[in-house]
Amino acid sequence: MLLFMMHSPDPPDLGTNKMSITNPGSFYGGVSAENIGMHQPRHRNKSLAKLMMNFQLVDRAGMGVRRMGLGSLMYGRQFPVFREVFDTVEVTMPAESILPGIFVLTQMNPDKYGIIDLIILNSLYRNGSASVIEISKRAKGLVDDTWNAIQESVERNEQFELCGTKEGVFVRVTNQWNSFLDVKKTLRISLTSEKHVKVYGYLLEFGEATNEDITNLLGHKNAAHTSKFLRDATYAKRTGNGTKARWSLIESL
């Protein structure tokens, strides 16, 4: 377990609205700035950590980073950013700003929303939609298997839905929640939305597919419909020709 003891924060930079907190010493036990959100906790001083837990100075060792991150996301802020600077660990987070819609939702039912739910909500607030690529980048190092995590979050939450276009797959705010989440512009989708989601998910799972694979997946009557559908999909690329042609994603999660 990484015992992260925060010292007094530096004064916020009035020009950036951010606050930085530094702690002497570098990362320990395989923990890094990239994996601190999910890495198993590490003790640098096991006796001190046990003493603090025995005296209930900490309620559960190793939960500080995720609790800090959840707290930030619940206010509509970004997950704190960690980095190692000159033998110190520095964490930077917004010093102000509350997104009212997200704050109200999370305070009404704080145990309902996990990290992926909050990342999606923060990505959609005012924007109305966000690509699964963008959401995956924000969730990197914080959740396992972002595609499955996004799908499960969409199933749990009525505020947003999964949809597809020829540009890719997106999560967007459902119409009845647009006003609450201050959405000014809604992503328009076509009748082929569900097909794009299916193809995207298939290519993520298997890496590549033939025209026949996609034809069977989508239930098309013939391969000509599939070929036209795939040619219009800018998120997919083709390698090879004829029976050797294979389709794959241009950018994976």
Side-chain angles (χ1 to χ4, degrees), residues 6-237:
M6 291 188 179
H7 288 239
S8 298
D10 297 329
D13 183 339
L14 298 180
T16 63
N17 293 326
K18 291 183 179 180
M19 178 175 65
S20 293
I21 302 172
T22 58
N23 182 65
S26 57
F27 289 111
Y28 170 78
V31 178
S32 68
E34 291 72 29
N35 65 21
I36 191 171
M38 294 188 66
H39 198 285
Q40 287 295 318
R42 293 288 184 265
H43 288 123
R44 178 177 268 115
N45 187 325
K46 295 183 179 180
S47 298
L48 177 60
K50 184 177 181 180
L51 185 66
M52 293 183 70
M53 285 187 283
N54 287 342
F55 281 89
Q56 298 183 350
L57 296 175
V58 293
D59 56 358
R60 183 180 174 188
M63 291 298 294
V65 172
R66 294 184 74 81
R67 182 174 294 142
M68 185 194 315
L70 283 168
S72 183
L73 290 167
M74 283 181 174
Y75 277 80
R77 301 167 180 165
Q78 294 182 353
F79 198 92
V81 176
F82 291 82
R83 64 174 185 157
E84 193 170 320
V85 185
F86 300 117
D87 295 324
T88 67
V89 173
E90 177 185 272
V91 56
T92 303
M93 63 189 76
E96 57 183 42
S97 176
I98 293 178
L99 298 182
I102 294 176
F103 179 76
V104 171
L105 276 178
T106 56
Q107 297 311 301
M108 289 171 58
N109 194 350
D111 296 328
K112 177 182 178 180
Y113 300 97
I115 284 183
I116 189 63
D117 307 309
L118 294 170
I119 288 175
I120 292 174
L121 279 171
N122 277 273
S123 300
L124 301 186
Y125 195 82
R126 295 197 179 111
N127 298 315
S129 63
S131 71
V132 294
I133 293 288
E134 176 188 344
I135 294 169
S136 180
K137 288 177 178 177
R138 294 189 66 178
K140 184 179 180 180
L142 300 175
V143 297
D144 288 320
D145 194 345
T146 51
W147 175 240
N148 279 334
I150 290 170
Q151 292 182 96
E152 291 171 0
S153 180
V154 168
E155 292 178 2
R156 284 195 305 269
N157 295 285
E158 62 178 292
Q159 293 86 11
F160 40 82
E161 61 187 350
L162 201 61
C163 57
T165 71
K166 64 180 182 179
E167 283 80 31
V169 175
F170 300 81
V171 181
R172 73 168 188 170
V173 176
T174 52
N175 291 332
Q176 61 268 36
W177 284 91
N178 279 339
S179 177
F180 190 88
L181 294 175
D182 200 20
V183 175
K184 306 301 182 185
K185 185 177 181 181
T186 301
L187 175 69
R188 296 184 64 181
I189 59 174
S190 68
L191 296 176
T192 58
S193 172
E194 186 178 346
K195 290 185 177 181
H196 284 295
V197 175
K198 283 185 177 181
V199 171
Y200 196 93
Y202 188 95
L203 294 178
L204 268 177
E205 182 177 358
F206 297 104
E208 64 177 21
T210 64
N211 275 41
E212 184 180 2
D213 292 331
I214 304 300
T215 298
N216 293 332
L217 176 70
L218 300 181
H220 286 164
K221 294 182 179 180
N222 57 64
H225 291 154
T226 301
S227 296
K228 183 181 185 308
F229 178 87
L230 291 171
R231 282 197 303 270
D232 292 339
T234 60
Y235 55 84
K237 61 182 179 181

